[in-house]
Amino acid sequence: QVQLVESGGGLVQPGGYLRLSCEAAGFTFDFFAAGWVRQAPGKEREGVVCISSSGGHTYSTNSVKGRFTISRDNYENTVPLEMSNLKPEDSGIYYCATEPTDSCSGENDYWGQGTQVTVSS
């Protein structure tokens, strides 16, 4: 069965750095786009970043452009997310999620359990 496990969340100060990791198992990982979705308290889930199956194309929402970088390792079945210059509004639960095709469309089908990111002094 499909399994996505996130790690790397925590508490950081504004301007800080975090690296999240997503480890995938149970499916042909390199056939599908994957990315990260976040949810702040009281808000709807927001697609943050996505990467195509081959890693050749990426998507990021405007608020994180220049600060967040997604990549993937199709040998280890991982999708890391590097987050720099973190802001309090970046706080929330970050979920790793797959998409049903090889390219990023904003439609997610499988999800991990999430990892908490808190940006605060």
Side-chain angles (χ1 to χ4, degrees), residues 73-94:
D73 185 337
N74 285 343
Y75 292 98
E76 299 294 331
N77 289 357
T78 58
V79 183
L81 175 63
E82 296 181 81
M83 305 186 296
S84 300
N85 192 24
L86 284 160
K87 304 175 180 180
E89 52 264 43
D90 293 320
S91 298
I93 301 174
Y94 282 68

Side-chain angles (χ1 to χ4, degrees), residues 51-120:
I51 188 165
S52 63
S53 61
S54 68
H57 299 277
T58 61
Y59 157 87
S60 64
T61 192
N62 286 339
S63 64
V64 307
K65 288 184 184 298
R67 301 188 298 116
F68 289 15
T69 301
I70 189 172
S71 58
R72 68 189 296 158
D73 185 337
N74 285 343
Y75 292 98
E76 299 294 331
N77 289 357
T78 58
V79 183
L81 175 63
E82 296 181 81
M83 305 186 296
S84 300
N85 192 24
L86 284 160
K87 304 175 180 180
E89 52 264 43
D90 293 320
S91 298
I93 301 174
Y94 282 68
Y95 300 90
C96 179
T98 63
E99 299 203 4
T101 70
D102 62 323
S103 59
C104 297
S105 67
E107 180 182 355
N108 302 114
D109 47 7
Y110 293 97
W111 300 75
Q113 293 297 306
T115 185
Q116 178 70 47
V117 172
T118 303
V119 185
S120 176

